[in-house]
């Protein structure tokens, strides 16, 4: 799978995320390793979710994982906390804000 295909899949899955309960600014960067390697970010700003194919240097959290791991998380087949505990998901930044990733996936 290419980076572009991965980005489009994630953007499509996140488009229905209910971020209305997130009152603060939140910025996640995702670094994909291995197949489809690349970076993109998801930002909650003014009650809306934006997903863009760029790095976000003023991020709250940096997630690093393979496409396979991210795909399982965003499809609800894997819990982000479990992926972190198993070493499949690396988290750098605010753990409190990282836990809000669960709000993006159903």
């Amino acid at each position: 799978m290419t980076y572009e295909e991965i980005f489009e899949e994630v953007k499509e899955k996140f488009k229905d995320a209910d971020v209305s309960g997130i009152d603060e600014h939140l910025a996640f960067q995702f670094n994909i390793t291995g197949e489809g390697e690349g970076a993109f970010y998801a930002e909650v700003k003014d009650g809306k979710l934006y997903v863009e194919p760029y790095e976000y240097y003023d991020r709250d959290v940096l997630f690093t994982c393979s496409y396979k791991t991210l795909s399982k998380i965003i499809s609800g087949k894997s819990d982000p906390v479990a992926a972190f505990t198993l070493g499949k998901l690396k988290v750098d930044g605010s753990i409190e804000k990282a836990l809000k990733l669960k709000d993006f996936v159903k």
Side-chain angles (χ1 to χ4, degrees), residues 5-57:
E5 291 169 329
I6 291 169
F7 173 74
E8 287 303 320
E9 178 183 327
V10 172
K11 189 171 183 175
E12 180 67 23
K13 295 237 186 211
F14 279 178
K15 78 176 177 113
D16 295 327
D18 180 9
V19 296
S20 62
I22 300 175
D23 298 332
E24 61 192 314
H25 177 264
L26 187 61
F28 293 154
Q29 180 174 318
F30 296 87
N31 285 357
I32 305 303
T33 59
E35 180 185 7
E37 184 173 316
F40 61 90
Y41 73 89
E43 175 185 32
V44 177
K45 183 176 176 182
D46 300 325
K48 294 185 180 179
L49 176 63
Y50 302 90
V51 181
E52 299 295 336
Y54 312 108
E55 291 189 44
Y56 195 101
Y57 294 104

Side-chain angles (χ1 to χ4, degrees), residues 28-29 60-65 73 80-81 83-85 87-99 101:
F28 293 154
Q29 180 174 318
D60 298 303
V61 182
L62 170 64
F63 295 106
T64 304
C65 63
I73 290 170
V81 175
F84 173 77
T85 304
K88 294 182 178 188
L89 176 67
K90 293 180 184 163
V91 179
D92 184 26
S94 169
I95 296 299
E96 180 183 334
K97 289 190 176 187
L99 291 171
L101 178 60

